[in-house]
Amino acid sequence: MKTVLITGVGRRLGFFLAHQFVGLGYRVIGQYRSERAELAELRDVGVTLIQADFSQRDQLLSFVERLPSECESLDVLIHNASLFVSDEPSHSPAEQASFFDAMYAVHMLAPKLINECMYPALRKAKGCVVVMSDIYAHQPHAKFRSYCASKAGLANMLKAYACHWAPEVRVNGIEPGPMLFLEEHDQQHRDRVLAQTPLAKEGGIEPVWQTIKLLINNEYLTGCSIKVDGGRSLTQW
Ligand SMILES: NC(=O)c1ccc[n+]([C@@H]2O[C@H](COP(=O)([O-])OP(=O)(O)OC[C@H]3O[C@@H](n4cnc5c(N)ncnc54)[C@H](OP(=O)(O)O)[C@@H]3O)[C@@H](O)[C@H]2O)c1
């Protein structure tokens, strides 16, 4: 049986992916931060769930120390967990430092430590890694400076792992644009983003899922990041 490890399975894309991989017959290991009603559904379909808040160093370390005992062979690893929060100008330097540390921990340190501890399992399966990045990694949003910078670091790191681990393990990424708005996004924000998006609609999860399957199945892809953004990266904002 093939195995996939997905971070951030408690909601939205991660939750959807966990169900899709169960449907494809994979054993699914999912990391989550907060207990949510959706997690009961995942437990019911046999997903192995492990709790960890990556911004808490002790929880992150316990998580990566436990992972190798959960699976000896790993076919697919998806770095999906993410913290999409804007920088707060009124924050004190100490608050800014802890905010930046959290961004760095979720988007860079956790993927790095998970990669390192799961490398033997990935190599055994000739597996692949999919990194969920963002078009903002290349064209930052002024209000989300720490988010964008840490996603840019993640996008860079995927290329280093792609070189370092070839030919046994492939590492690729996806850079979504407006995939799914957040509940707190008001209509004015949505209209503005869609006006900057040539395909002029919220993409939804399905185009990302199609791209994940492409990255898993195409054995001649490594070190590449595919923009799934309705063309938004072609415009200025
Ligand atoms: N949505 C979009 O339009 C869009 C656009 C560009 C890029 N992306 C990228 O695509 C991926 C999926 O997007 P999404 O909108 O489905 O993500 P999301 O709803 O923002 O959440 C991803 C998951 O990350 C988890 N998470 C947050 N902070 C964490 C922490 N400190 N430790 C561990 N886990 C933590 C969350 O856990 P909780 O359940 O506890 O909140 C959540 O389940 C993300 O990597 C995102 O950056 C999305």
Side-chain angles (χ1 to χ4, degrees), residues 8-14 31 33-34 36 52-55 79-84 106 132-134 147 151 176-182:
V9 293
R11 63 181 198 161
R12 291 158 58 90
L13 179 64
Q31 170 274 340
R33 177 183 59 169
S34 322
R36 294 176 180 276
D53 181 339
F54 292 158
S55 67
H79 294 298
N80 170 68
S82 177
L83 194 51
F84 186 60
V106 173
M132 293 305 302
S133 180
D134 196 308
Y147 169 85
K151 283 281 188 177
M179 174 182 72
L180 278 184
F181 288 117
L182 292 165

Side-chain angles (χ1 to χ4, degrees), residues 151-162:
K151 283 281 188 177
L154 177 61
N156 179 288
M157 196 165 66
L158 91 78
K159 295 181 193 170
Y161 276 106

Side-chain angles (χ1 to χ4, degrees), residues 65-77:
E65 279 158 14
R66 172 176 167 181
L67 274 184
S69 65
E70 290 292 336
C71 69
E72 289 181 359
S73 176
L74 184 62
D75 297 276
V76 182
L77 165 59

